[in-house]
Amino acid sequence: MIELQIFKTEDAPELISKIKDKRALLQFAGPAYHFPLTREQLENDLDNENRFMFRIFDKTEQSAIGHAQIFLKENTFLLGRILIWDENNRGKGYGKKTVLELLQYGFNTFERETAELNVYDWNTGAIECYKKVGFEIDPDVMNQVSIDDELWLSINMKISKSNFKSWKV
């Protein structure tokens, strides 16, 4: 169904075109990027040896359908910037498959025992997707960001390598 392909500089215009406003960018990338998203911002991530960027590629349709990243931290790796571009493709299993592929890649490539991600608490569809894969909410890790006079609460979710491996069997 899908595969992760290494993101390259020439993929930047397609990703940039999918981020329509500052709210969409904040939901997708957290506060690290600023609107409008630019090639330079993406190139900074590409140059970071601890960040691994991917195109989500639909093998059936032979087209890119989204974007995802892995960021290495000291004792864990962080899944992030996961975006299925077309809202009509959401709820069809692409997100779950993408997260499984990212976890498989991360646990097989890096010597880390835990993976984590951050998600805004109002993004219930994403939270349910992550729970189905085996992530659990860490109630001790939360952050807030402000946008348009609103506060968005970011919650942290984690999964251990052993839980992922047992879930996959």
Side-chain angles (χ1 to χ4, degrees), residues 1 11 19 23 29 35 42 46 59 65 76-77 88 98 114 116 122-123 137 145 163 169:
M1 181 156 90
D11 300 320
I19 307 298
R23 293 173 75 87
F35 190 79
L42 294 169
L46 283 168
K59 294 188 286 189
I65 62 163
T76 185
F77 64 92
N88 294 322
T98 298
T114 306
E116 63 183 285
W122 51 262
N123 194 347
I137 294 172
V145 295
N163 282 350
V169 172

Side-chain angles (χ1 to χ4, degrees), residues 21-32 120 145-147 152:
D21 57 42
K22 67 182 181 179
R23 293 173 75 87
L25 182 60
L26 183 61
Q27 179 179 356
F28 161 65
Y120 293 110
V145 295
S146 178
I147 184 166
W152 288 4

Side-chain angles (χ1 to χ4, degrees), residues 95-109:
K96 181 179 175 184
K97 180 68 174 154
T98 298
V99 171
L100 290 171
E101 291 289 327
L102 289 166
L103 289 170
Q104 188 79 28
Y105 182 93
F107 285 129
N108 288 337
T109 306

Side-chain angles (χ1 to χ4, degrees), residues 5-13 15-16 33 38-55 67-71 81:
Q5 298 179 339
I6 301 299
F7 184 89
K8 299 176 182 137
T9 303
E10 55 265 24
D11 300 320
L15 174 58
I16 290 167
Y33 289 160
T38 63
R39 178 185 292 263
E40 291 74 27
Q41 291 176 84
L42 294 169
E43 287 173 346
N44 284 338
D45 277 353
L46 283 168
D47 291 340
N48 183 332
E49 66 184 20
N50 290 318
R51 192 169 294 278
F52 302 83
M53 299 169 65
F54 303 96
R55 293 171 72 215
H67 179 85
Q69 294 186 17
I70 291 177
F71 181 68
R81 300 186 180 145

